[in-house]
Amino acid sequence: MYTISVEYLKFYIKHIFKALLIIIPVLILVLLYQPGIDLGDGVIENPIYNKFEWWIILLYYIIFIFIFGILFFIPLLLYFTIQKERIQKLESRLINFFIHALVDFLYSEKYNSNKEKFAFYRTIGHFIKRKNNIEAFFIALTRIQESLKIDLSEKYCLLIKELNLNKTLIKFLYSFNLNDRIIAIKIISYLRTNDAIYLKRIDYYLNSKNFALRSEAYAGLIRLFDRNMQLSDFISSKHHLSLIDINVIVNAVLRNTRVSIDYIDLLSSPLEHKSIIGLLLSKSRHVENSRDLIISHIGSSSPLLKRLAWEAYLANVPKNEAVEIIIGRFKDEPDDIQVMILKNSHKTYNKRFYQFLLEE
């Protein structure tokens, strides 16, 4: 809680400072039109009071602010621009360094020795004393995992623990910087941790108005699932999913090889978004025992469900076996679905189907 409080304190201090940049110039302008300032027993008189017209005071003040801005803010802007470019170059080199070091640590047999492990922790520890360097380390970790399908969560957890990065990970998760939040969600999902302080915040981000953050929260939470009931309950609890959200969920499920998919539960659900997810998953993974449920959606009143059902059915059933369903329902389908069926059936070698097409 202390770590989170510090993050919020920093955020509010920054906003107070930004507000003061507006309030102080306005306050000074107001004081220029006052005869003086009372300070207990004494008074500080305004030397220009009633000596100039109000508009002349305003004009000179605007000119002063403009010149001050040129002399102060432009050099400051140039300084931060140069610093940002330097940090980006350094970060790029650090990411490459961390990737090579981490790949070596994860796969080399020499790190089976505790002595070599501790030497590695000390070496990496020298490079992660600053926030930007830690960010480069986290990015390297995510890039390695995104290129792998292997569960390395135990080694990742050990790394984070030995490098004392748990508090930093919480800072990133609660940060007001979007990139920090997204990086933290990815790292947490690769750790396969079910710590409540992490899950509560990721669940909070599921309702974010920012699409990138909301999408990563969905993907991260699904990567943490290891049972099909978790997935089913999660989808059932979300009643206002957009089609973009649904696609994010489907892609995350397909990448999570640990969780099995209960197609019967998904495809038999009265919730339309749940059936849509089931059909989209069915298109990408072969389904043996759910063909009847897929066929039932072909008769749906929802154009989207109907189209997805046809796509899932044609993806799961050998082309020659699908002929009977196609012939029986083809005439009742709208033009766009008829075109889709024909495109998916172009390599169907069946005399009855060929005769059917000639008659049509």
Side-chain angles (χ1 to χ4, degrees):
M1 287 301 295
Y2 172 77
T3 302
I4 298 169
S5 299
V6 169
E7 283 302 300
Y8 276 86
L9 183 62
K10 288 179 180 178
F11 174 76
Y12 290 123
I13 288 173
K14 285 180 182 178
H15 273 66
I16 290 170
F17 180 73
K18 289 177 182 178
L20 288 175
L21 290 177
I22 299 173
I23 292 170
I24 290 174
V26 173
L27 184 61
I28 292 172
L29 181 61
V30 171
L31 293 175
L32 290 175
Y33 290 96
Q34 305 301 316
I37 303 173
D38 291 327
L39 293 175
D41 296 333
V43 177
I44 298 178
E45 294 184 356
N46 183 356
I48 65 171
Y49 182 71
N50 281 340
K51 290 186 178 181
F52 301 97
E53 294 288 338
W54 69 269
W55 61 269
I56 293 177
I57 295 173
L58 179 62
L59 178 63
Y60 277 113
Y61 187 69
I62 291 172
I63 292 171
F64 169 77
I65 293 293
F66 181 73
I67 293 173
F68 178 79
I70 292 174
L71 295 176
F72 180 75
F73 287 106
I74 291 181
L76 199 64
L77 180 63
L78 289 172
Y79 169 76
F80 283 119
T81 301
I82 293 169
Q83 280 292 94
K84 186 177 180 181
E85 290 178 356
R86 187 184 69 81
I87 289 170
Q88 285 177 341
K89 289 179 181 178
L90 177 62
E91 186 179 76
S92 179
R93 291 197 295 268
L94 275 172
I95 290 171
N96 289 330
F97 164 74
F98 285 135
I99 287 174
H100 286 95
L102 286 168
V103 168
D104 188 42
F105 173 76
L106 294 169
Y107 290 101
S108 177
E109 292 183 359
K110 75 176 182 180
Y111 290 108
N112 292 335
S113 161
N114 287 331
K115 181 181 178 181
E116 292 295 336
K117 282 182 182 177
F118 292 132
F120 175 81
Y121 299 144
R122 283 196 301 271
T123 301
I124 295 297
H126 291 308
F127 291 93
I128 55 170
K129 294 180 179 179
R130 298 173 59 185
K131 194 261 183 183
N132 290 330
N133 295 13
I134 295 172
E135 182 178 338
F137 176 79
F138 283 158
I139 291 172
L141 207 61
T142 61
R143 288 187 183 176
I144 291 170
Q145 185 57 47
E146 284 166 3
S147 64
L148 301 172
K149 292 185 178 180
I150 304 170
D151 182 5
L152 297 170
S153 55
E154 289 186 10
K155 290 189 175 182
Y156 292 154
C157 286
L158 187 62
L159 267 173
I160 298 299
K161 179 184 176 182
E162 294 296 335
L163 294 172
N164 296 315
L165 292 176
N166 285 303
K167 288 184 178 180
T168 307
L169 192 56
I170 293 174
K171 285 183 182 179
F172 272 61
L173 185 61
Y174 281 81
S175 171
F176 290 91
N177 182 290
L178 178 62
N179 289 334
D180 289 351
R181 292 178 178 183
I182 289 174
I183 290 170
I185 292 170
K186 286 183 176 182
I187 294 293
I188 290 164
S189 68
Y190 297 146
L191 295 177
R192 307 291 189 188
T193 178
N194 290 312
D195 195 319
I197 195 171
Y198 297 143
L199 297 181
K200 183 178 178 181
R201 194 62 179 177
I202 294 174
D203 190 65
Y204 172 78
Y205 290 147
L206 294 177
N207 300 313
S208 172
K209 293 181 180 179
N210 185 286
F211 170 71
L213 181 60
R214 188 174 72 250
S215 298
E216 195 55 53
Y218 276 121
L221 203 58
I222 290 169
R223 282 195 292 266
L224 290 170
F225 292 159
D226 56 7
R227 300 187 305 275
N228 58 43
M229 283 307 297
Q230 284 180 292
L231 175 64
S232 180
D233 292 343
F234 171 73
I235 296 172
S236 297
S237 68
K238 302 299 174 184
H239 300 292
H240 303 288
L241 294 173
S242 68
L243 288 177
I244 295 176
D245 292 333
I246 287 172
N247 277 318
V248 170
I249 290 172
V250 169
N251 289 329
V253 172
L254 292 173
R255 290 193 186 100
N256 186 354
T257 56
R258 298 194 314 162
V259 63
S260 58
I261 303 169
D262 189 345
Y263 289 101
I264 294 176
D265 177 67
L266 293 174
L267 295 171
S268 61
S269 172
L271 300 173
E272 183 173 324
H273 71 273
K274 197 170 180 179
S275 297
I276 289 172
I277 291 172
L279 291 169
L280 286 169
L281 290 171
S282 300
K283 285 171 56 180
S284 300
R285 289 188 182 176
H286 189 65
V287 183
E288 284 291 345
N289 302 320
S290 303
R291 290 182 184 177
D292 290 341
L293 286 171
I294 294 174
I295 291 171
S296 69
H297 287 296
I298 289 177
S300 172
S301 59
S302 167
L304 178 59
L305 275 176
K306 182 189 287 285
R307 183 177 185 85
L308 290 175
W310 270 112
E311 290 176 356
Y313 181 73
L314 294 172
N316 278 278
V317 179
K319 294 185 182 297
N320 288 324
E321 291 182 26
V323 168
E324 292 299 322
I325 295 292
I326 293 173
I327 292 175
R329 297 175 182 256
F330 188 83
K331 293 181 181 179
D332 299 325
E333 300 299 341
D335 292 345
D336 61 322
I337 291 184
Q338 287 184 354
V339 171
M340 183 267 292
I341 292 171
L342 292 174
K343 285 181 178 179
N344 279 274
S345 306
H346 70 284
K347 290 186 179 180
T348 301
Y349 303 106
N350 184 286
K351 289 183 179 180
R352 187 160 178 246
F353 182 64
Y354 181 69
Q355 187 62 36
F356 170 75
L357 292 178
L358 289 176
E359 290 174 0
E360 287 295 311

